[in-house]
Amino acid sequence: MSKIDETPDFIPVRIAVLTVSDTRDLSQDRSGDVLVGRIEAAGHQVAQRHIIPDERELIADQLRLWCANDAIDVIISTGGTGLTGRDVTVEAHRDVYEKEIDAFGTVFTIVSMQKIGTSAVQSRATGGVANGTYLFALPGSPGACKDAWDEILVKQLDYRHHPCNFVEIMPRLDEHKRRK
């Protein structure tokens, strides 16, 4: 069973939050607010926060820009993971990924099933890695952001989480680029 080992020091990570929406601004961004609050409460740093429209190229460009920024370790987007024509966040993430974290979407679905039942099939939450940066695309509802953070990300982004976590392998995410 997974657990937190309080013996080692906590290692804060720098997280960028991207809200994808054609209609929201910061004053209406409840999902972004949920993520920022939880990130800070966990002891991590919010490195940047933006809202951009549901445009695949704009989303992918922002993800690439943040992946190239050494001051950002993790990117969490919210919104645009549904099934409608304007929902292109997942495609934009996959345009950027070097490797997809397939089990992230599966675990998110399991967590969601416990909260919203079979409606969880409508989400296309995804995770991946690009340029040594973790990327996660979450649905746009505050509840989904709470579930993803509280049940998955808060644990995986804590170096003290055992048996394994995302933070402990961060230094090796781009090791293939250093090989001769």
Side-chain angles (χ1 to χ4, degrees):
M1 193 60 156
S2 69
K3 64 182 173 86
I4 298 291
D5 176 0
E6 300 288 342
T7 308
D9 290 336
F10 176 79
I11 299 173
V13 296
R14 299 158 301 184
I15 304 171
V17 176
L18 180 65
T19 298
V20 177
S21 175
D22 288 332
T23 60
R24 292 185 196 143
D25 60 29
L26 279 177
S27 70
Q28 305 159 323
D29 184 16
R30 292 181 28 232
S31 296
D33 290 343
V34 162
L35 290 169
V36 166
R38 279 170 159 69
I39 289 164
E40 291 173 343
H44 298 295
Q45 176 189 356
V46 176
Q48 291 192 37
R49 180 179 180 185
H50 292 309
I51 297 177
I52 61 174
D54 294 279
E55 297 291 340
R56 184 173 177 168
E57 283 306 312
L58 291 176
I59 298 164
D61 288 347
Q62 183 63 60
L63 296 174
R64 286 186 191 99
L65 181 68
W66 279 347
C67 285
N69 185 338
D70 290 337
I72 295 174
D73 304 307
V74 178
I75 301 166
I76 303 174
S77 69
T78 175
T81 63
L83 302 174
T84 69
R86 297 288 295 156
D87 291 325
V88 295
T89 301
V90 172
E91 289 75 17
H93 269 251
R94 289 182 173 146
D95 290 344
V96 175
Y97 291 165
E98 293 167 4
K99 294 185 180 190
E100 190 161 358
I101 305 170
D102 297 318
F104 179 79
T106 302
V107 172
F108 180 79
T109 301
I110 292 167
V111 167
S112 294
M113 284 282 298
Q114 296 169 4
K115 309 284 176 125
I116 62 171
T118 60
S119 294
V121 302
Q122 294 185 34
S123 171
R124 298 183 304 135
T126 185
V129 178
N131 201 35
T133 304
Y134 289 108
L135 301 95
F136 302 98
L138 308 179
S141 76
C145 290
K146 289 176 188 175
D147 293 343
W149 182 266
D150 295 349
E151 301 298 328
I152 306 168
L153 293 174
V154 73
K155 298 169 187 169
Q156 283 297 300
L157 295 176
D158 190 329
Y159 179 73
R160 305 165 304 165
H161 182 265
H162 292 286
C164 58
N165 59 76
F166 290 142
V167 178
E168 67 187 343
I169 60 173
M170 269 185 190
R172 297 180 17 231
L173 290 178
D174 62 356
E175 67 188 354
H176 66 285
K177 295 178 182 177
R178 295 187 302 265
R179 291 188 187 148
K180 301 273 179 192

